[in-house]
Amino acid sequence: MALKITKREADYIKIVYEKSLEEQHRVTSGLIAKEVGVRTPTVIEVLWKLKKRKLISVGKAGEITLTKRGLKLAAMLIRKHRILETYFVK
């Protein structure tokens, strides 16, 4: 997947992925803002870009989910992170 994304966009994708795996966690812009320590309008700006690129979808109640494309990207980002983590720990 030759998709160029910023570090911030990658961080948000990973947060949506990880939080959506946790039971009873509805992922919202407020939750992401709390996780990264920024204000909600800042998060909304980045989420708008991710939605425009068809990486996320936003439900009527404001819940954020990854699209198929977003899920593939999240899996790739997490895999790269784990490979680097393993490399540097050894």
Side-chain angles (χ1 to χ4, degrees):
M1 183 179 286
L3 182 64
K4 293 191 181 211
I5 61 169
T6 65
K7 180 182 177 340
R8 180 175 285 178
E9 290 170 337
D11 289 345
Y12 288 17
I13 291 281
K14 286 189 279 186
I15 290 169
V16 172
Y17 179 77
E18 290 167 354
K19 291 297 180 185
S20 65
L21 292 178
E22 295 176 15
E23 285 189 39
Q24 299 183 1
H25 255 99
R26 226 184 65 187
V27 183
T28 62
S29 56
L31 176 70
I32 296 170
K34 193 175 188 181
E35 285 288 315
V36 294
V38 297
R39 295 176 54 224
T40 304
T42 304
V43 172
I44 291 170
E45 183 179 327
V46 176
L47 291 176
W48 182 83
K49 291 176 186 177
L50 294 174
K51 184 178 178 191
K52 189 175 174 184
R53 295 166 82 180
K54 297 183 170 101
L55 295 171
I56 64 164
S57 63
V58 181
K60 290 181 183 179
E63 69 277 358
I64 300 158
T65 56
L66 295 172
T67 61
K68 281 186 179 182
R69 188 176 182 189
L71 282 169
K72 286 180 186 177
L73 178 60
M76 183 186 73
L77 291 169
I78 290 169
R79 187 172 33 253
K80 282 183 178 182
H81 178 79
R82 288 188 179 143
I83 289 169
L84 288 172
E85 197 174 62
T86 302
Y87 176 76
F88 285 113
V89 170
K90 289 182 179 184

